[in-house]
Every structure is written in C-alpha cells, then in structure tokens.
Amino acid sequence: MKKRFLWGLFPLFLALSAIAEDHPSVSFSTLLQKMVDLDSLYLDPNISITMWSSADRQGGNLDDTGYIRHEGSWSVIAEAQGPGAITRIWALNPTGALRIYIDDYDKPILYEPFQVLFQNKLSPFVNPFVYSSNTENGACWSYVPIPFSRFCKIVCEKLCYYQIETVTFPEGTKVEPLILPLSSADKNAITNTAKRFQRYTNNPPFPGNNEIQTKSVVNTIPAGASIEFASCAGPAVLRGIRIRWAGDNTVGRDLLLRIYWDGETEPSVLAPALDFFGYNVSSMALGLGRNSRRYCYFPMPYKKNMRIEIENGNRTKSCNVDLTLYPQTSVSLPDTIRYFHALWRRENQTCLETVAFNTEPLDPLCEPDQNYAALSARGKGHLVGISMLRTPDPESDAMIFIDQELLAGTGKNGFFDMAGTLQKNEWPLAAGRPDSWGGDVLLRLFFAAPLPFQQGVAAMFEHGSGNVRQCDYSSVVYWYQEEPHTRFPWPDPAPARRFRTAPIEHPIYEIYDRKGEPVRSLEAETLSLEAYEGIFDPQDMRPFGSDWSGDQQMRFKASKPGASIHFNMTDVDYSGWYGLICTLTEAPNAPRIEIQVNDTSVFPSIDLYGKTANAESYRSEIPVFIHASDRPRVSVIVLGKNDNSTGYVAGIDCLKLVPNETESGHLLVQGPYALEKSDLWTIPHHLKIADDKRLFLGYSSINAATETNREYIFGNVSKTIPLPDKIEHVPEENALYYLTYTVKAEKTGIYAFEIESALPGSCLLIQAPEGIQTLENYILWNGIPLQKEKTIRYDPETNTVLPARFPVPLKKGENKISWQMKGDHIKQFRPRVYGLLPGTKK
C-alpha cells in the first residue's frame, strides 16, 4: 500500500458530451438501477469520476494519513461539487466516527462509527451492497449510491486506508439528493435491485424471450488449428457468451479467443479463453458457473455482423468446445457505437530498472514508465473491468491514467476491493482467489461508475514497491470504445501463455548513492563467450513456455563429443568459496554435459535429455575458491548423449555464483557497559588499537565487565545470539556491547562480513583530546578500523533493509573482527562471513 511520489488529489476533469436541453433526472433509485442494468452498459455514461484516497500527499510512505484538510479534530477525506454522487467507499480496518454531508444541510446526513457503514446494521447500507470482513487486515466496501445536487463532503475522526469514488454529471442534470430515512419508493428499489445485484453463475441475467435468441455451437478444434467458430448478422447486441471446453485450466490458456465486429480485419477481443472469462472466480458479468461452464454477460453491440474465431494452441491434442451465444436482434442502436473490447497481456518476468530511494523512510520511488501496462488505448470510450493473474503477490499499487490524469488508490488489493492481503471472496463487482502455487486471481467491474476517457486510457500496475520485484503478471482489460482502435499486440505463441512451473528468482538490490542495479543471475545469452567445435546463438524460448528468464537462452550446438563453450562471468565482489547455480534446458536433442568453474569440475555429468523442452535449475555441491581479483569462467563441455537423444544441443539460460556461508567461529561478547558515567558506573574501559588510538568501551562497576562476558562457539548455537541483560538503572540507548568474532581463513582475500539483522550502523567510540567521538559504520579488523561500503542493501521480497555488509581483508590463519553495538538497536544478532570455508553451504 505504499506510494512513491506526490499524488495530491487527481480529479479527472474529462470533456463531457454536448449537454442536451433536458437531462434524465438522477436519484437513489436510478443509480441503483444503473448499477445492475447490463443492457445499457455500452452507452456513453456521460460522467466524470474522481478518486479520493488516503495516499500520502507528501509522497512518503504514510498512506493512511492522507487527507484534504483538517476541520478541528476531524479530517476531510472527500469533497466534490454537484451535481453528482458518491458511488463507492472502501476502507481497511476503519475506526472512529464518519460524517457525510450533502448539499447545504447543516447537519450530516450520516454520523456513525465508520465501520458501521459496512456491517449491514444501518439502512440503506445493507447487504448485498456493503461488506465487512471483520478480520485483521479486513477490507470493507460500500456500493450504496449517495446522490447530491450541489455539494458533498466526507469527514472522519481517525484516518485509515481509504478510497472514495465520486461521479459528476453534466451541468444542468437534475439530481434528487439522498434523504434518510428512505422513502417507500426507495425502499422498494433497494429490495428489487438486491435481487439483481448478484453473481449469475446459474442463469443469464436476462429473461428468455423472442427478442434474445439462443445459438449453440459444438465443435472440435484440431491441434494447432484456428477456426471460425460462430458468426451472427446484425444489427444486434450480443447479450452473452457461455463456453465449456474439455480439459483443465491449461487447455483454457491454449484456446485463444478472437472476436471481430462489422467486418474488422483485426480483432477487438483478443485473449485466452480462460483469462477472458475471469479465470476461476465468479461475478455479475464474468466467471465460472456450474458444470465448468463459463460466462460473459457484457453487452456487445454491432451493426452488420460479428464473428468469433478460436485457436487451439496445443500442437498435439485437439479440443472439444461447447459455445452458446445470446444475440438480441430487435434493437435500436445509436449512430455512433461504442464497441466492446478486451485485451490480454502478459509479462512472465517483469523488467527491473535502476531504482531510486527515498532516504526517510527508506522506500523505493515508483517510476510509472516501469509499471506493468495492462492497457494503453487511444480514443473515446469507457473502462468497465479488469481481471489479473499475478505470481507472486507483492505489495504494489494500481494506477489508472485517464486522459493523462491519474486515478490513484492506496494499494492494488484495495483497488480490487480486497484487504491488505488477498482474500478468497466472490462478490457481484469484485472477486479474488489466492492460489497455493502463487497464481493469485483478482477481478473488478466498474459498473457503479465506468471510467470514461476522451483521449485515452492506460491501466498500469506496480510490480512490488517501486517496481523492485520480478513478477509474472497477466491481465485482461474490458472496455467500450468508438472505432477505430489501434492494432493490438499479438500474443506470444501458445506455450508462452502457459502457467509458470519454475519460481521467479527475487534479486537483492545493492543501492549506491540511492541508485543501483539489481544483483541477479547472469543471462547466458548476454555474456561474452567463446566456443570450440560448435556454433552458438541466442534462442527465443517463448514458443516453449514461460520458465526461461528473459524469454531467451544461449543455444550451443556441438558438432561432436568434446566440444565446449566458455562463459566469461563478471568479477565477484568478494573472495571466497563459491557454488554455481545454473538453469539449463532439458530437451529431446540435448546431450550429457560437464560444467567447470575455473577448470574445477562442479558438475561432473548432467544428462539434459528430456521428452519435451523444460527449464531445470541445478546447484553444485563442489565449491570453488574465487579471488576478488580473478575473472570467473564457466565452461560447458559436451560429454556425449544417451540413446534417446537426437543431438548435441545444450541450452544454457542463466548462471549465478553464490558464496558459501560460514558456520564456524568464536564470538566474545563483552558488556554491557554504560555510555555515560554515573554513581554506579564509574570505571572507564579502553582498548589500544592502530595508530595509538584508544577505543572507548564504556563505563562499568567493579568486576562488571568480566562478570557479563559471554562466549559462543558457532556450530553449537542457535542462528541468532541474544544480547546479555541490560544494565540496571541505565537506559537501553546508553548500554554498549563490545563484540569480537574470531575466524580462520584458508586463503588470503577480501571477504564479505555482515551483521544480521540490519543495524542502523555499527560504531566505534574513539577517545580523542576533545572527548569521545563516534565512528559510524566502522568495525575493527585485527585492531585496524575499517569503514563499511556506502551501500544500502535492500530485499524486495520482504521490503526490508538487509544486514550491513563490510569488505574485510582476511589473512590466512586467525583473524579477529570487532565492533560495538548499542543496546537499543536490536535484541538478537548474528555475525556472518561468506565464502570462508569450502565445506559449508547456505
């Protein structure tokens, strides 16, 4: 739920249609009816929309503190001029009281505890138009419309995460403001509308009559074929589509749906069938019904004709498909039609760019150009829905740009009516389903207030805070638009649409001067290399699936056994013993190979033969020592092939050298000492270090320093070391500890030393003529002060700062690493050296 830049408020001042002399009147009843009336969904909504949210107006991370202004002890969180209506209120764990004012009323029309608004206790805020999870990180939402003629204002007693949407009607529109208690007519309206505000998993939302026909088509699509599955003459409105296929979700990903209107040469609907129908969740207009029959009830108008093509992306198996259409031919269409559009997109590995960070708090700044773009369309129309499948589920934000203005909320889950974490829920206008293998489904329909655009729309999503996560995102955006539309990007080959089977590796960022590049696996196709007795070239792996990083690999076609290819890796930052992690391709024409690092065999033999192409990860058991001054080299040598293989083609996707982690050593903890002298703590303790400097350890009482010393032998202790008890009568921030970590190195080199968990910075207290001075981010190596690199290490998977890391020049034999720690920094810690010993693994 984090924001990375100054949102402010973003009212969307959209150009409105020409205003007729007489506007239809708007009331509580008509707004309810509009929310469930799918028949007219394709018509111009003729509104503008504004999102009011709790986003931090200063661009920081306090997204539950955003407000417009204070009025005494209350915070104004939404304010709009009429004629208009409040159409949606979403909040996360709301507390305190809420007031809603409309028009010129001196008293609020509503003055209740914020959470009561969602709990089915207060008319007209009743089920199914409100929801409250009543759980930790629970989401609450209301789609009860609140019309106003001149003005509305919402104030709250306590700020929380919230999103409020208001719509504005054209000037001159007559609006009947909400009056409480409800009139008899409004009570009847909410009762009748509640019956239609539902998920239509069984029967369509329209009655069976002569106006709406039923056309069923059953056909078998051969493997790899594309056929025209159905067509209908116009003028008509296609009221619904229902489909069922033989097979599971992977079959639905193989089936590519294309719909054309009025003689188009390019489709207006282009999406895999599974994704187009909302994956495995259900809502008012999209979803999975009974007997595995999926449905779509978006109305789709056309004047001349429509045709549906379905392609079977599976190259080996045919597929049986059962399709039912519901065309309505007795219709009166406007001269200018807004045609239905739907577009599927996927990034199976979202890109990572240079990251800039706020300094306080330490958060990555978002650059929208690096977001995942679900849709970028030009023209005039309105957005009516978005569905997503994402792996994994990182903290991030939805950003909808309408005519270049930003509609910003406070988190992607909140945008989809969910909570701080994804919930398993299915409502009329939103749905979500977390999945154990990491494919989380999200769906939202904008029927209460479609998002209109006059010049263009862009639907974008962060992939992690500040786009620091590699993710697998796919989405379908549903909208209406006046033709012509720009040509859609054609989806990748069918195997690239398949679900991910290999997990995405999450990189760790090393941030220098608030900017940095991610440390990730090295793509083999990007490395400098040389080959003997064979040829090599980068290979596009999208036709084989989604598990190859960067969608490519380096293909080495050896001419005979003994041929080899050699990759020149980038220099390592630290000396030490390393293991190799690599992703290789199993295939029908793959050989047996050996892999060496600097002439040391780390994989003596790997048989890469497989019946189909698959990406497999391997981790070596044999360590190799690499000095910081060395240039690592990875060699792949073809040994031969088994009897089933048809060739000597080796596919290398990515390579990564990982230092081993030391699990041995001796730790001495001295202290605690008092930072300041007192009646009880009077004895100063100093150590002489390099250049005749004196290290100040602190003050102790008689025998206190020796009585509180503790020793730990690594390999026989838990992973984290508790600090000794704090000093009585001394604040924690004035308690000091002096630690000495003794390790042995087999070879001389510059090693990586870090202290877990992350500290604001280790320090040394130096006794100088002018008094005690603090050296931040310093440690001692054999009595010599060393300063930590000016680096922030950041883990995007957990959104946390990683332990401080120091480059330490260890000599062969015994080395002592010492540092001081303040008692208020952390209660448990652990020192760690990487690459020190060959026999240990991370």
Side-chain angles (χ1 to χ4, degrees):
M1 297 207 173
K2 301 180 180 178
K3 292 290 166 300
R4 318 307 154 211
F5 40 72
L6 179 60
W7 300 118
L9 292 176
F10 295 95
L12 307 181
F13 298 112
L14 305 182
L16 299 175
S17 303
I19 300 173
E21 293 182 3
D22 296 317
H23 298 287
S25 62
V26 176
S27 66
F28 175 78
S29 298
T30 61
L31 289 173
L32 280 175
Q33 173 69 21
K34 191 73 173 176
M35 188 162 52
V36 298
D37 184 11
L38 301 185
D39 294 354
S40 60
L41 189 61
Y42 61 88
L43 298 177
D44 183 356
N46 203 17
I47 59 174
S48 61
I49 184 169
T50 304
M51 168 80 82
W52 315 87
S53 73
S54 57
D56 188 344
R57 270 45 173 189
Q58 302 303 315
N61 184 40
L62 303 177
D63 277 2
D64 58 345
T65 61
Y67 61 92
I68 299 174
R69 65 178 180 277
H70 286 311
E71 292 183 351
S73 61
W74 295 78
S75 300
V76 179
I77 58 176
E79 189 173 46
Q81 298 296 320
I86 302 167
T87 56
R88 173 180 176 256
I89 300 176
W90 172 90
L92 180 62
N93 298 325
T95 58
L98 182 78
R99 293 176 179 172
I100 299 179
Y101 298 84
I102 63 172
D103 292 346
D104 299 327
Y105 299 157
D106 294 332
K107 295 182 179 179
I109 191 174
L110 185 78
Y111 185 178
E112 298 287 346
F114 201 162
Q115 61 186 9
V116 171
L117 192 70
F118 313 101
Q119 294 178 338
N120 194 33
K121 297 179 179 179
L122 177 70
S123 178
F125 299 93
V126 295
N127 293 340
F129 305 103
V130 299
Y131 174 85
S132 175
S133 65
N134 293 319
T135 60
E136 184 180 359
N137 288 327
C140 304
W141 51 256
S142 167
Y143 282 99
V144 176
I146 305 176
F148 54 89
S149 177
R150 291 177 292 277
F151 171 78
C152 83
K153 181 174 70 173
I154 302 179
V155 299
C156 67
E157 187 177 25
K158 294 184 179 180
L159 290 170
C160 64
Y161 295 100
Y162 67 86
Q163 297 174 21
I164 299 171
E165 293 176 18
T166 61
V167 298
T168 303
F169 305 110
E171 184 179 350
T173 301
K174 181 180 178 181
V175 175
E176 298 175 15
L178 178 65
I179 296 177
L180 298 179
L182 294 179
S183 65
S184 297
D186 284 344
K187 289 181 180 178
N188 290 334
I190 203 168
T191 300
N192 294 331
T193 308
K195 299 175 183 178
R196 301 177 60 191
F197 193 67
Q198 61 169 290
R199 298 179 296 116
Y200 290 100
T201 57
N202 296 330
N203 299 311
F206 40 80
N209 54 46
N210 294 330
E211 292 184 356
I212 301 178
Q213 305 171 13
T214 300
K215 183 176 182 179
S216 297
V217 182
V218 180
N219 209 335
T220 298
I221 310 176
S226 177
I227 67 172
E228 182 175 304
F229 210 90
S231 62
C232 296
V237 175
L238 184 60
R239 292 295 180 189
I241 305 174
R242 301 177 76 181
I243 192 172
R244 180 169 54 190
W245 56 79
D248 57 13
N249 288 345
T250 59
V251 176
R253 263 288 171 90
D254 282 339
L255 297 176
L256 183 63
L257 182 68
R258 300 193 287 264
I259 303 180
Y260 302 80
W261 312 117
D262 292 344
E264 288 181 308
T265 57
E266 294 289 333
S268 288
V269 172
L270 183 61
L274 176 71
D275 304 62
F276 176 81
F277 289 94
Y279 305 98
N280 292 324
V281 296
S282 300
S283 67
M284 184 184 295
L286 288 167
L288 175 64
R290 288 187 175 181
N291 301 321
S292 299
R293 192 177 293 276
R294 300 164 195 272
Y295 61 89
C296 169
Y297 296 130
F298 288 115
M300 307 177 192
Y302 55 94
K303 289 186 176 182
K304 298 177 181 179
N305 57 70
M306 62 80 62
R307 59 188 178 94
I308 297 177
E309 293 179 356
I310 302 180
E311 174 186 318
N312 180 8
N314 192 303
R315 303 301 176 185
T316 59
K317 296 180 180 180
S318 61
C319 183
N320 296 325
V321 177
D322 180 353
L323 187 72
T324 303
L325 306 178
Y326 298 92
Q328 180 180 5
T329 55
S330 57
V331 294
S332 177
L333 299 176
D335 293 337
T336 301
I337 291 181
R338 290 194 170 183
Y339 290 91
F340 178 74
H341 294 71
L343 177 63
W344 180 80
R345 283 208 68 241
R346 182 187 192 180
E347 287 185 18
N348 63 25
Q349 194 159 296
T350 52
C351 64
L352 298 175
E353 304 290 345
T354 299
V355 179
F357 273 68
N358 273 330
T359 54
E360 187 61 40
L362 185 65
D363 282 320
L365 297 170
C366 178
E367 297 292 342
D369 290 345
Q370 299 170 10
N371 289 348
Y372 166 76
L375 174 68
S376 179
R378 295 182 179 273
K380 181 183 291 187
H382 55 282
L383 211 64
V384 291
I386 298 176
S387 62
M388 284 194 72
L389 182 68
R390 62 188 189 187
T391 308
D393 178 17
E395 179 179 313
S396 48
D397 294 312
M399 302 178 196
I400 310 298
F401 292 86
I402 298 179
D403 298 337
Q404 299 183 349
E405 295 289 347
L406 177 61
L407 187 71
T410 56
K412 182 163 55 179
N413 286 340
F415 179 80
F416 287 93
D417 283 342
M418 295 291 151
T421 56
L422 181 60
Q423 300 167 306
K424 183 179 180 180
N425 276 308
E426 293 177 311
W427 305 305
L429 299 184
R433 184 180 294 270
D435 194 283
S436 58
W437 57 267
D440 296 321
V441 176
L442 289 165
L443 169 68
R444 184 179 164 200
L445 306 176
F446 308 117
F447 293 174
L451 309 182
F453 54 93
Q454 303 298 315
Q455 288 87 38
V457 60
M460 310 179 78
F461 298 89
E462 279 185 296
H463 39 95
S465 301
N467 294 319
V468 297
R469 294 289 299 276
Q470 286 183 324
C471 299
D472 186 339
Y473 279 0
S474 59
S475 60
V476 179
V477 181
Y478 312 90
W479 77 102
Y480 291 93
Q481 181 178 340
E482 298 174 12
E483 294 289 8
H485 69 258
T486 56
R487 183 177 181 179
F488 291 166
W490 209 257
D492 290 330
R497 302 198 294 267
R498 294 176 186 170
F499 298 111
R500 176 174 291 279
T501 58
I504 296 177
E505 180 178 321
H506 303 298
I508 293 174
Y509 280 83
E510 307 274 354
I511 308 302
Y512 298 84
D513 297 328
R514 297 177 58 192
K515 291 186 177 181
E517 293 290 344
V519 177
R520 67 184 98 172
S521 299
L522 298 175
E523 298 296 331
E525 64 272 12
T526 66
L527 296 172
S528 63
L529 54 83
E530 55 191 45
Y532 302 97
E533 302 293 341
I535 59 175
F536 58 87
D537 63 332
Q539 182 180 10
D540 183 0
M541 299 305 293
R542 287 175 295 179
F544 300 95
S546 60
D547 295 337
W548 285 265
S549 60
D551 292 329
Q552 287 186 313
Q553 70 169 3
M554 179 56 70
R555 175 174 54 188
F556 175 56
K557 186 175 182 180
S559 59
K560 62 181 181 179
S564 59
I565 185 170
H566 307 269
F567 297 92
N568 297 313
M569 306 286 282
T570 57
D571 294 342
V572 295
D573 293 327
Y574 303 99
S575 303
W577 294 91
Y578 283 79
L580 177 68
I581 297 176
C582 54
T583 301
L584 309 172
T585 300
E586 294 182 350
N589 59 350
R592 286 186 300 107
I593 63 170
E594 176 188 1
I595 300 181
Q596 299 179 355
V597 177
N598 287 358
D599 299 325
T600 298
S601 180
V602 295
F603 292 106
S605 180
I606 300 176
D607 190 345
L608 293 180
Y609 169 78
K611 292 183 179 180
T612 59
N614 293 293
E616 295 292 338
S617 181
Y618 297 84
R619 183 179 186 125
S620 67
E621 299 288 338
I622 302 173
V624 176
F625 188 84
I626 301 175
H627 198 278
S629 61
D630 293 341
R631 184 70 181 269
R633 176 183 171 99
V634 174
S635 303
V636 177
I637 304 168
V638 174
L639 301 178
K641 63 182 179 68
N642 69 32
D643 294 338
N644 296 318
S645 177
T646 60
Y648 299 103
V649 180
I652 302 98
D653 181 22
C654 56
L655 304 164
K656 187 174 184 179
L657 290 167
V658 180
N660 291 332
E661 176 185 320
T662 295
E663 295 289 348
S664 63
H666 174 270
L667 178 69
L668 175 65
V669 180
Q670 295 177 249
Y673 300 102
L675 178 62
E676 298 177 358
K677 189 175 182 180
S678 66
D679 293 337
L680 297 176
W681 304 87
T682 59
I683 303 174
H685 287 259
H686 296 86
L687 288 177
K688 186 176 180 181
I689 59 175
D691 300 328
D692 293 328
K693 293 181 180 179
R694 298 206 320 167
L695 183 68
F696 177 66
L697 302 183
Y699 296 95
S700 69
S701 60
I702 298 175
N703 297 325
T706 57
E707 289 175 358
T708 57
N709 290 353
R710 299 188 184 184
E711 297 187 24
Y712 301 91
I713 306 299
F714 282 85
N716 299 317
V717 298
S718 61
K719 285 196 172 183
T720 56
I721 309 300
L723 285 175
D725 297 333
K726 66 178 182 179
I727 307 171
E728 294 184 5
H729 311 298
V730 175
E732 285 188 345
E733 61 268 21
N734 286 330
L736 294 173
Y737 301 88
Y738 182 69
L739 304 100
T740 300
Y741 184 38
T742 303
V743 294
K744 290 184 178 180
E746 289 190 357
K747 296 186 178 183
T748 298
I750 299 176
Y751 292 77
F753 167 71
E754 67 183 32
I755 306 169
E756 182 188 5
S757 297
L759 301 177
S762 298
C763 64
L764 299 178
L765 300 181
I766 301 296
Q767 185 75 50
E770 58 272 21
I772 297 173
Q773 295 182 345
T774 300
L775 299 180
E776 296 289 344
N777 296 319
Y778 270 84
I779 61 171
L780 292 178
W781 169 68
N782 294 336
I784 301 173
L786 298 177
Q787 187 175 19
K788 186 188 70 146
E789 290 180 320
K790 296 180 179 179
T791 305
I792 298 171
R793 303 181 62 243
Y794 181 81
D795 181 4
E797 186 168 6
T798 59
N799 286 344
T800 57
V801 179
L802 293 171
R805 176 172 287 179
F806 295 82
V808 178
L810 300 184
K811 63 182 181 180
K812 183 177 180 179
E814 186 174 275
N815 297 264
K816 293 183 182 294
I817 304 172
S818 305
W819 69 99
Q820 282 182 291
M821 188 181 298
K822 292 184 179 179
D824 64 331
H825 282 174
I826 203 163
K827 301 306 176 189
Q828 290 186 323
F829 67 96
R830 180 174 179 81
R832 179 178 292 141
V833 177
Y834 286 97
L836 191 65
L837 300 175
T840 59
K841 295 181 296 182
K842 184 175 179 180

